[in-house]
Amino acid sequence: MKLAVVGGGSTYTPELIDGFARLRDALPLVELVLVDPAQDRLERVGGLARRIFARQGHPGRITWTDDLDAGIDGADAVLLQLRIGGQAARNQDETWPLECGCVGQETTGAGGLAKALRTVPVVLDIAERIRRTNPDAWIVDFTNPVGIVTRALLQAGHKAVGLCNVAIGFQRKFATLLGVAPDEVVLEHIGLNHLTWERSVRVAGEDVLPKLLTEHADALAADLRLPRNVLDRLGTIPSYYLRYYYQHDAVVEELRGKPSRAAEVAAIEQQLLAHYADPTLDEKPELLSRRGGAYYSEAAVALTSSLLADTGDTQVVNALNNGTLPFLPDDAVIEVPATVDATGATPLPVRPLEPLYAGLIAHVTAYEQLALDTALHGGRDRVFAALLSHPLIGQIDRADRLTDLLIAHNREHLTWA
């Protein structure tokens, strides 16, 4: 089995490599190719990747290249983990929206739209080259904003599934709190990428969500950086990203008073690259845990294995709605438990969704549709419409100003600007 990782020069890649090495029975790799235009990063990351495989006794071959077509040739699956513009572009996404009193975040609000506009055209070009070179390959998308990017891929007819680590992170957290194995925890996880709630948590068929909320709500609320009474009143556990909606103004003030997350990550990345250059290092360093992306490797192995081995098991992924949530269009991409096999991901049926959640999901889905249209066709009017439609913006003057800022900060990435 051959796997290619596009964006393989990322400082996060050793986390993936460690997962591939530890879980090699589930994903028996013969060859792993790291693809990235940044040769200097590739040399450091690729060298460490080889040493991790050697330390853990993995027989697979690891190579790297800046030639996309060569890297994806013959691959059974291609993993996408791109950041167009790097941490510098992310830093802008997290700062200029604050000038208008809006949250600065790389996947939510105006910053998330900017990232989508930079990313979708590049991903679609890569996907077309994958289709020409190796039409049977699956595309597993980690690239944010995952919901919009996956919708773009599926709308263009590509064999793609989107993946996020929020659900597996909750599963691991709940398992620890409950003292059970992670695979005993079954989540009723529902919503859109970065807009989800846990409606039930089942162990041996019993819903233990009430127990979690009774015994561990303080710890859970602290992790989510939300007041405990939010969890008590909802009776569900929202993802971390719901704080941008539920406490928007407070988060804006918080972000204005500290360095951006992008600045923090950029500093961490420089330290990581220095570590990776050490020829004696043959395991992922502890510092990598501060980079983010916990459990992505395990989720990636499980998803890729299911697609290629036709297992038909259940995983939380980003897939076409196709009537699962009847208030959304069929071509919307939702994040829910799905059956995964050689045909792709098919969402499982869900209980009717309360208006408190359905309303916000419908609102953000409409924004995502406009965002994708903007990414595909460009134009100031489309940028404005997408921003105006977003529930965190929704005011004409604010959307106008954000439109100008978005275009000014991303002009080099927007062919139409």
Side-chain angles (χ1 to χ4, degrees):
M1 180 185 301
K2 177 179 177 180
L3 189 68
V5 179
V6 179
S10 167
T11 56
Y12 174 73
T13 297
E15 176 70 33
L16 283 177
I17 300 300
D18 179 73
F20 295 154
R22 288 186 293 103
L23 304 171
R24 55 184 173 272
D25 291 341
L27 194 66
L29 293 177
V30 173
E31 182 178 2
L32 175 64
V33 184
L34 307 180
V35 183
D36 202 294
Q39 277 282 4
D40 56 337
R41 281 178 171 246
L42 273 179
E43 293 289 338
R44 297 187 186 195
V45 173
L48 175 57
R50 283 180 176 171
R51 296 192 296 273
I52 290 173
F53 263 32
R55 177 190 175 98
Q56 300 197 31
H58 195 297
R61 183 166 69 103
I62 294 178
T63 60
W64 51 87
T65 180
D66 61 358
D67 185 332
L68 174 65
D69 294 325
I72 62 179
D73 186 33
D76 297 287
V78 179
L79 278 59
L80 303 182
Q81 54 171 30
L82 311 177
R83 183 179 296 281
I84 307 304
Q87 295 298 333
R90 176 181 179 175
N91 186 66
Q92 292 181 352
D93 295 342
E94 294 177 343
T95 51
W96 55 261
L98 297 174
E99 297 177 27
C100 300
C102 291
V103 68
Q105 212 278 329
E106 63 163 338
T107 63
T108 299
L113 177 62
K115 185 173 177 64
L117 300 192
R118 294 192 304 270
T119 304
V120 167
V122 176
V123 167
L124 289 178
D125 177 67
I126 292 169
E128 286 298 331
R129 293 166 70 174
I130 293 169
R131 181 151 55 188
R132 289 197 303 268
T133 303
N134 191 17
D136 293 327
W138 276 102
I139 297 174
V140 175
D141 177 57
F142 304 162
T143 300
N144 280 319
V146 167
I148 296 172
V149 172
T150 302
R151 188 172 184 176
L153 288 165
L154 293 171
Q155 182 173 290
H158 296 290
K159 295 177 60 177
V161 181
L163 185 63
C164 181
N165 70 333
V166 167
I168 193 172
F170 272 135
Q171 183 195 46
R172 298 304 196 265
K173 177 69 174 179
F174 299 159
T176 299
L177 293 174
L178 295 166
V180 300
D183 60 5
E184 294 181 60
V185 177
V186 178
L187 304 178
E188 187 182 4
H189 176 100
I190 190 163
L192 310 175
N193 180 240
H194 291 183
L195 194 84
T196 52
W197 297 263
E198 310 306 324
R199 299 172 79 199
S200 70
V201 180
R202 297 192 177 277
V203 176
E206 177 189 358
D207 184 7
V208 296
L209 179 57
K211 173 183 173 71
L212 282 168
L213 291 175
T214 298
E215 299 180 3
H216 303 288
D218 288 333
L220 291 168
D223 281 350
L224 298 171
R225 300 181 67 186
L226 284 168
R228 164 164 180 169
N229 65 6
V230 172
L231 275 62
D232 293 335
R233 296 169 73 176
L234 291 177
T236 62
I237 298 178
S239 78
Y240 169 88
Y241 292 89
L242 265 299
R243 72 188 295 259
Y244 298 120
Y245 295 83
Y246 293 159
Q247 292 191 303
H248 176 270
D249 294 351
V251 172
V252 167
E253 290 307 309
E254 171 193 317
L255 294 175
R256 282 172 166 166
K258 65 179 185 180
S260 70
R261 173 61 178 162
E264 295 175 0
V265 172
I268 292 170
E269 286 194 334
Q270 290 306 307
Q271 297 176 61
L272 286 171
L273 288 169
H275 286 309
Y276 297 171
D278 179 356
T280 67
L281 182 68
D282 58 3
E283 60 184 344
K284 62 179 182 179
E286 176 60 31
L287 179 63
L288 186 55
S289 65
R290 293 171 51 198
R291 169 67 177 77
Y295 308 117
Y296 255 129
S297 60
E298 295 170 42
V301 167
L303 176 55
T304 307
S305 176
S306 297
L307 290 169
L308 299 180
D310 195 25
T311 59
D313 57 346
T314 298
Q315 297 177 41
V316 174
V317 296
N318 285 260
L320 288 175
N321 178 46
N322 281 337
T324 307
L325 298 179
F327 55 89
L328 298 184
D330 286 347
D331 66 346
V333 165
I334 59 176
E335 187 171 291
V336 293
T339 299
V340 182
D341 57 26
T343 67
T346 303
L348 298 176
V350 302
R351 293 183 292 145
L353 198 58
E354 297 89 339
L356 178 62
Y357 310 118
L360 186 53
I361 289 171
H363 196 161
V364 175
T365 297
Y367 151 75
E368 290 190 346
Q369 183 173 344
L370 291 169
L372 178 54
D373 182 60
T374 307
L376 294 174
H377 304 293
R380 188 188 189 283
D381 289 347
R382 290 190 179 92
V383 175
F384 171 78
L387 290 169
L388 186 63
S389 75
H390 199 290
L392 297 184
I393 301 167
Q395 298 178 48
I396 292 173
D397 291 345
R398 181 173 285 176
D400 253 330
R401 175 64 176 142
L402 287 168
T403 298
D404 291 337
L405 288 169
L406 185 153
I407 294 172
H409 284 281
N410 291 275
R411 197 175 299 277
E412 66 179 295
H413 300 288
L414 306 176
T415 58
W416 50 266

